[in-house]
Structures are given as structure tokens and as C-alpha cells.
Amino acid sequence: MMKITRTQPIGAQEILDRFATTRLRGYGQPLIYERARLELVRQVDPKTLFPAQRYVLKEDHHAVLELHEAFQKQGIDAFNMEGGMLFWKAGEEGPIPFMPPIVEMSREPDGRTIPLINDGMHRIFTAMKLNRPVTIILAHGVPTEY
């Protein structure tokens, strides 16, 4: 059983500022969200989001469940936070960042725009299985070439 020894919240604006400086791996490492509009959206039904992949790793799902239970003992809702968090686990160096999943409004080949899960698939899958809403970072206007 995981034991969290310390937590440090990170506010919504600081998270959005951090993600605005995120570099894409490859492609010359551009600032992928530099011109995008980023917003923190709470109470999102995970069933309304589209996965970028069609699989979930069982080990990662179980790790999210364990983290959820450890956060619950601290009085923290791992799925619906007001921002992000740094946390420390017993017996390990920290901090470990814990940020909301990233969802991009993606223009699909058929012309539709859908909320595509870019990062955090296992947390969103676990929230869906537990019938829990999630907090996400929603990105609008991500360059289509990436």
C-alpha cells in the first residue's frame, strides 16, 4: 500500500503557465501550446472524452487506483482537483508531479472537432470505471501539424 508523506498544491494558473511552455518531443521541440488557449475544466464526465489509443495497461490502471486511495486518505480527490500537486511517497525521493490530464480539441479528418485525450488516459479510464468526474486541462487551437 502506497503512503503519501507530504503534498503541495499547485494553483490552476501556475499549471496553465507551465503547460504553455511544454515542448513537443521531436519536430524540433516546438512549444506545442504556446499559441493554444488552455483552460482548467472541472467536473468533466470522462465518457465524453475520446481516447487517442484503444488500450489501457492493467498495471497503470492499478497504479492510478492505488494513488487514488492514498490521496483519499489525505482528503484529496485525485480525479477532481482544483489544480495540480506535488507529492512525496514514503521511502522515495520527491517531489512527484501530479497534473490534470491533457485533452486537446482535435480536428478530425471527417471535419469534426473532438476532445481527444492526449495525456492521462489511465486516470480518465479509472475515473470512468469509478463513475467519477475529472478535472482536465483543455487545449484549444493546438497547431494541426502536430
Side-chain angles (χ1 to χ4, degrees):
M1 175 58 82
M2 178 188 311
K3 182 174 181 187
I4 295 174
T5 59
R6 180 177 162 207
T7 61
Q8 179 181 330
I10 302 172
Q13 191 57 55
E14 184 178 345
I15 288 172
L16 296 176
D17 291 345
R18 284 184 184 194
F19 277 99
T21 61
T22 298
R23 292 194 178 275
L24 180 64
R25 287 187 182 157
Y27 301 94
Q29 298 200 355
L31 294 170
I32 187 87
Y33 300 124
E34 181 178 39
R35 292 189 186 99
R37 181 172 58 87
L38 301 175
E39 62 179 318
L40 191 76
V41 183
R42 299 192 66 209
Q43 299 288 328
V44 175
D45 180 350
K47 293 174 187 157
T48 65
L49 306 174
F50 291 76
Q53 68 225 29
R54 296 286 180 200
Y55 66 91
V56 173
L57 299 175
K58 189 183 293 187
E59 308 83 46
D60 290 355
H61 168 63
H62 290 297
V64 171
L65 279 173
E66 186 177 11
L67 190 57
H68 163 64
E69 291 170 5
F71 275 138
Q72 265 189 324
K73 290 179 180 174
Q74 301 276 329
I76 299 166
D77 183 345
F79 300 112
N80 201 25
M81 299 187 307
E82 294 183 18
M85 178 169 314
L86 298 176
F87 71 97
W88 289 256
K89 293 190 321 187
E92 294 186 27
E93 286 195 35
I96 301 167
F98 191 73
M99 302 298 154
I102 307 242
V103 176
E104 296 179 358
M105 295 307 294
S106 175
R107 168 79 80 201
E108 296 300 295
D110 65 5
R112 294 180 304 144
T113 300
I114 63 167
L116 186 70
I117 303 165
N118 182 15
D119 183 60
M121 179 63 209
H122 291 89
R123 190 166 351 153
I124 291 172
F125 173 82
T126 303
M128 185 179 67
K129 288 295 187 188
L130 296 174
N131 200 28
R132 302 287 309 277
V134 291
T135 296
I136 63 169
I137 295 174
L138 186 59
H140 302 271
V142 177
T144 57
E145 62 267 26
Y146 304 124

